[in-house]
Amino acid sequence: FSPRCSVHQRDEMANDTTVHLLPWFEFDEDKVEQVREITKAMVEQTKAEEGCLFYGWAYTKNTAFCREAYKDADAVLTHLQNIGPKIEELLQVSKLAKLEVHCPASDVAKLEPAFSPLGAVFFTLDIGFRR
């Protein structure tokens, strides 16, 4: 096993502009219906965004996780402008427990101003493939 990747694998990922956001929100169990209503509205609002590749919510009894991806950093910033008021509403009944941003290294500087104040952890794409 070698931890190094081939130049070919790195070249494949160099063209991948996809950005994944992975936020976890925690809430009191008695707030689950409010959280579900807000996140349902967020799904409907996000459907109109052409740059969104997928967007969905999963739940445990007191945690909501959003699985979302965008074609590039600009699409993410458009999403934040679109959904900002709903995020504020969600934060009235929950707290942001964790936030990961997975993106090309070239997009970190563009996304940091929006996500670093939220405590986001950035992961940069390195090796892999796309189908």
Side-chain angles (χ1 to χ4, degrees):
F1 171 77
S2 172
R4 295 183 176 173
C5 67
S6 72
V7 171
H8 177 70
Q9 286 175 315
R10 284 189 191 271
D11 288 346
E12 279 187 55
M13 296 314 292
N15 296 322
D16 189 346
T17 62
T18 306
V19 178
H20 294 257
L21 301 180
L22 299 109
W24 283 261
F25 294 86
E26 293 177 347
F27 50 89
D28 292 334
E29 287 182 46
D30 65 334
K31 303 287 187 196
V32 68
E33 290 307 316
Q34 286 177 280
V35 169
R36 284 183 182 270
E37 285 301 313
I38 295 165
T39 57
K40 181 179 177 181
M42 293 170 78
V43 169
E44 292 305 312
Q45 195 167 333
T46 302
K47 281 182 183 179
E49 297 175 17
E50 290 186 25
C52 182
L53 302 174
F54 58 80
Y55 187 88
W57 289 86
Y59 307 90
T60 66
K61 63 182 179 179
N62 68 339
T63 304
F65 168 74
C66 189
R67 182 177 165 267
E68 55 190 301
Y70 302 86
K71 71 177 185 174
D72 57 27
D74 289 331
V76 170
L77 296 175
T78 297
H79 172 69
L80 290 179
Q81 288 177 346
N82 179 43
I83 209 80
K86 285 291 178 194
I87 293 171
E88 291 299 322
E89 188 178 341
L90 181 59
L91 289 171
Q92 296 300 312
V93 294
S94 68
K95 73 171 187 167
L96 181 62
K98 182 178 177 180
L99 174 61
E100 293 179 6
V101 178
H102 299 205
C103 65
S106 59
D107 285 340
V108 172
K110 183 181 268 190
L111 295 172
E112 271 184 328
F115 291 102
S116 288
L118 301 172
V121 177
F122 283 82
F123 292 81
T124 56
L125 300 175
D126 190 13
I127 61 171
F129 67 93
R130 295 283 308 248
R131 293 186 195 228

